[in-house]
Amino acid sequence: MTFTALAPPISAAAAVAMILTALTMVLIPGPNMIYLASRSVSQGRRAGLISLAGTGLGFIVYMLMANLGLAVVFVSLPLLFIGLKAAGVVYLAYLAWQALRPAGRGVFEVGDLPRDSVGRLFRMGLMTNLLNPKVAIMYLTVIPQFIDPQRGHPLLQGLALGLLQIVVSLTVNALIVIAAGSIASFLARRPRWVIWQRRTTGVLLGAVALLLAFDVPESAHV
């Protein structure tokens, strides 16, 4: 009798490589980070964490789709992929315009805004993640590189690697949500910083929208 069945599904080297890769990717600013920070600043840390829970569910959906072989739909059907990507681009462009237009409001600026319900916060966090097809691309192209056929059970390996990615992403984003909440009082005491922050945020959001728009044709074919 051997202890092979008791061995972890992935090697320590694969786990470390996945953690470092996930950490690198989550630290790159994107729609998820911007949305979560904005919710935390405008409605408080609790709202940011509820939104983060929705984002986490989005990761789980993509992980299951990828490991069950369904995420390939987003890649094999370019029109569907492009449609989802376009929706994300339009959303980011709208946020950029809201920040840059005269008398506009930045994503991180505090104001008397209608407070979203728990359900709406959760759904918006979920949709923000689901409308980012790069997550599916990551699961289809990055995670498979860490799967070792010699260890067997590729499904278990994929799930283990995916769970590592989710844990790293949620941990980092939770820290961002907690830190972003303190920005509210800082900006409230410095009106000029509010203007600077709004313009900078608008430019960055517009740049991200453009980058995603030009990335569509290439990303639609893996």
Side-chain angles (χ1 to χ4, degrees):
M1 179 177 178
T2 65
F3 293 95
T4 305
L6 300 178
I10 58 177
S11 66
V16 172
M18 185 69 254
I19 290 173
L20 292 177
T21 301
L23 184 61
T24 300
M25 296 186 69
V26 74
L27 289 177
I28 299 175
N32 285 347
M33 182 184 295
I34 293 173
Y35 171 72
L36 293 172
S38 69
R39 288 302 90 191
S40 181
V41 170
S42 63
Q43 278 191 241
R45 293 174 181 174
R46 179 174 179 270
L49 292 175
I50 293 172
S51 299
L52 178 60
T55 300
L57 178 59
F59 278 126
I60 293 174
V61 170
Y62 272 123
M63 179 186 69
L64 294 177
M65 290 175 65
N67 284 285
L68 294 176
L70 299 178
V72 71
V73 171
F74 289 99
V75 179
S76 61
L77 298 179
L79 291 180
L80 176 60
F81 182 95
I82 292 174
L84 289 174
K85 177 73 80 171
V89 170
V90 170
Y91 175 68
L92 287 175
Y94 170 76
L95 292 179
W97 166 245
Q98 288 295 100
L100 293 175
R101 67 184 178 85
R105 185 178 300 277
V107 178
F108 300 100
E109 185 176 347
V110 179
D112 296 327
L113 301 176
R115 299 184 66 83
D116 294 319
S117 65
V118 171
R120 179 172 172 79
L121 288 169
F122 185 88
R123 290 192 300 271
M124 289 177 68
L126 171 62
M127 293 307 299
T128 298
N129 207 11
L130 292 181
L131 288 175
N132 185 5
K134 283 191 174 182
V135 177
I137 298 299
M138 178 189 68
Y139 276 101
L140 288 172
T141 61
V142 177
I143 289 182
Q145 298 179 29
F146 302 116
I147 294 179
D148 183 5
Q150 301 299 324
R151 296 181 69 90
H153 306 292
L155 176 59
L156 291 180
Q157 291 189 57
L159 291 175
L161 292 166
L163 287 175
L164 281 176
Q165 182 271 327
I166 292 173
V167 169
V168 171
S169 297
L170 293 185
T171 300
V172 173
N173 279 314
L175 294 175
I176 292 173
V177 165
I178 293 172
S182 63
I183 297 177
S185 58
F186 176 85
L187 293 179
R189 297 192 302 267
R190 296 168 176 81
R192 291 188 178 181
W193 280 74
V194 172
I195 297 175
W196 176 86
Q197 174 271 328
R198 177 168 59 85
R199 293 174 179 174
T200 301
T201 300
V203 171
L204 291 176
L205 284 169
V208 172
L210 288 176
L211 288 174
L212 289 178
F214 284 111
D215 187 51
V216 169
E218 181 179 358
S219 296
H221 302 85
V222 173

